[in-house]
Amino acid sequence: MITVLCGGVGAAKFLEGLIALDQSQEIVAITNVGDDDVMHGLYICPDLDTITYTLSGAVNHQTGWGLANESWRTMERLKGLGGKVWFQLGDLDLATHLFRSERLREGATLEQVTKEISDNAGLKLKLLPATNDKIRTKLELVHPSGETESTSFQEYFVKYQHKPIVKDVFYVGSKSASLSPSVIEALEESERIIIAPSNPILSIGPILAIPKIAETIARRRSDVVAISPIVDGKALKGPADKVLEAFGYPASALGVAQYYRDYISRLIIDQIDSNSIDQIESLGVRVVATNTIMTTIDSKISLAALALTSYER
Amino acid sequence: MITVLCGGVGAAKFLEGLIALDQSQEIVAITNVGDDDVMHGLYICPDLDTITYTLSGAVNHQTGWGLANESWRTMERLKGLGGKVWFQLGDLDLATHLFRSERLREGATLEQVTKEISDNAGLKLKLLPATNDKIRTKLELVHPSGETESTSFQEYFVKYQHKPIVKDVFYVGSKSASLSPSVIEALEESERIIIAPSNPILSIGPILAIPKIAETIARRRSDVVAISPIVDGKALKGPADKVLEAFGYPASALGVAQYYRDYISRLIIDQIDSNSIDQIESLGVRVVATNTIMTTIDSKISLAALALTSYER
């Protein structure tokens, strides 16, 4: 069994490679739920859906999220009604949220619904929410105007397009979140644990904020490898670089290593960042430098293969 | 002020006539909420929406409910996911439910949201839910197989296409439902109160099941006229005839008069039912017989005009 701690887009691409690698072990994706939100009464799980859509080949490749061949009739009419439309829900995408919301109301756990959706999509991995309990990532923002605001992740990320400065992040509910037997089994029994190239603070942070997960990952540090989502001082997507800096870490592979140092024994960084190898290894983290930019299926497979062999280095 | 107690399709047609009549008084539609339901996490108000869609000219004229130029992309994908699709929600219609659900979550009352939606649609009347509290019409059914089942209104009406026999009806929540100031004002201050040609037991019943409404309507009996939705022993639409019979009333204009006798001083029946005038008048209800079938705007206007002048007879 191989367990991957996952955010959305970057994790989904990495999982594509890991699945295509076709190694013999079961793959388990323990996925961030801190971005989950209720919109218009519907239960939205952006990271779970991005992984499902990507791995089933249904994703919109232009955006990296949402569905291909999407239409927006509901949103267009909602706009006419004066409704909230900054979080765009496509007509096809809506079906996922209707299905999930109904099943949750019927008493299913998020893990059960996620299994139903991922089985329906034919996914060749076990997709698990980090917890069935509610964790919500809350941000303290400073707008360009100087005004401060406390927001949900989606407000920061989508409504404000991650432009405000992040002063602080809270993972509300994480301390009391419980783990399902499947999550515990994956964390304890997996031969290797991989932290996907996702936003350390905003995507992996909510997972590590669950005390039982943090303890287990720290205890299994020698089996844990992360892939840096920061290349040449910049996030490949989203605000990971800015948020690391806001928390006092350098916006670099070194910053990622500093953030994860208690949890990982190995870090895969981009070859362009090779000059930071010595500094990272001085933290007690072995470094493997390679091409980490996943543009083709071959580059995804290579990165996944390297993550599995990195322990031998 | 003229108040109309309303169900869905029949009431909407009658209101079209009343508005087109262009008399000087404000029109208030106090509308059934017993059919309201939560589907997939979304708050659905079928009768309020049918009235809004009809009066704004957006309704699907083939069905009498839903929107014209509707598409079903969300439902088609939901079906593929194994979701519940017996209650069809079109892509455009969904926008109404998303808007309502979000506003209710924000703390708006159903009356406030209804005003926002009906103002947006440009309706020339005050559309009011009978109460902001939750009333749910529950039915005890006997299926053709002999099996019994307790269901919501929508399960009976849509899922089972009103085929089972109705053994009993409960208006859960009606006894404790409170009235908004607007509803109280309409009931007390209206010059006339009209009961639209809607299903007496399933559409008007949930409104009259609120004790304060029943008391007020009974006290104002001399100002109340109903229009029979039963013509020649048959409901113009839906199961009103069968449900009246299940409750021990004849499936006829006479049955309607018997059901409403404590609340109305006048009943408009179809001219085809003129042979029951004496029996109905023996209940202390004056009868006006006319063409009640509203196929054209002229027939709707004539019926509305007659409802307003019926008090002079």
Side-chain angles (χ1 to χ4, degrees), chain B residues 206-259:
Chain B
I207 304 176
L208 293 174
I210 301 173
K212 174 83 178 148
I213 294 187
E215 284 160 30
T216 312
I217 302 281
R219 172 163 47 80
R220 300 206 54 195
R221 183 174 182 276
S222 64
D223 298 317
V224 185
V225 59
I227 298 137
S228 172
I230 308 280
V231 173
D232 199 18
K234 290 199 172 56
L236 289 173
K237 184 181 172 294
D241 45 2
K242 289 190 298 181
V243 180
L244 274 172
E245 279 191 324
F247 273 64
Y249 298 95
S252 65
L254 175 63
V256 174
Q258 289 173 350
Y259 182 76

Side-chain angles (χ1 to χ4, degrees), chain B residues 14-155:
Chain B
F14 179 78
L15 289 169
E16 280 188 285
L18 190 59
I19 290 168
L21 189 59
D22 202 23
Q23 43 78 46
S24 59
Q25 302 195 76
E26 184 183 19
I27 301 166
V28 181
I30 295 181
T31 304
N32 172 38
V33 294
D35 306 2
D36 293 3
D37 216 329
V38 174
M39 301 275 179
H40 316 287
L42 298 176
Y43 203 95
I44 316 281
C45 300
D47 284 349
L48 289 168
D49 288 349
T50 291
I51 291 173
T52 301
Y53 294 171
T54 301
L55 297 183
S56 62
V59 78
N60 177 337
H61 287 286
Q62 269 80 59
T63 56
W65 54 269
L67 289 160
N69 305 312
E70 188 56 281
S71 55
W72 306 93
R73 295 198 84 204
T74 303
M75 281 291 123
E76 279 158 26
R77 188 160 176 278
L78 183 59
K79 191 175 181 183
L81 283 169
K84 184 175 87 177
V85 292
W86 59 260
F87 194 87
Q88 287 276 300
L89 295 166
D91 300 329
L92 297 177
D93 185 40
L94 269 167
T96 307
H97 314 311
L98 293 174
F99 180 80
R100 181 188 291 118
S101 303
E102 182 80 7
R103 293 288 296 122
L104 291 174
R105 278 182 65 90
E106 288 171 359
T109 64
L110 184 58
E111 185 173 306
Q112 287 173 319
V113 188
T114 301
K115 178 171 164 45
E116 290 165 7
I117 294 171
S118 66
D119 283 355
N120 181 281
L123 300 201
K124 294 182 196 138
L125 88 175
K126 189 190 270 190
L127 181 59
L128 298 175
T131 175
N132 285 316
D133 296 331
K134 195 169 114 175
I135 296 183
R136 293 295 176 268
T137 303
K138 297 284 179 192
L139 297 98
E140 296 294 323
L141 303 181
V142 182
H143 289 285
S145 65
E147 217 179 332
T148 61
E149 186 179 1
S150 177
T151 70
S152 71
F153 178 85
Q154 298 304 337
E155 287 173 301

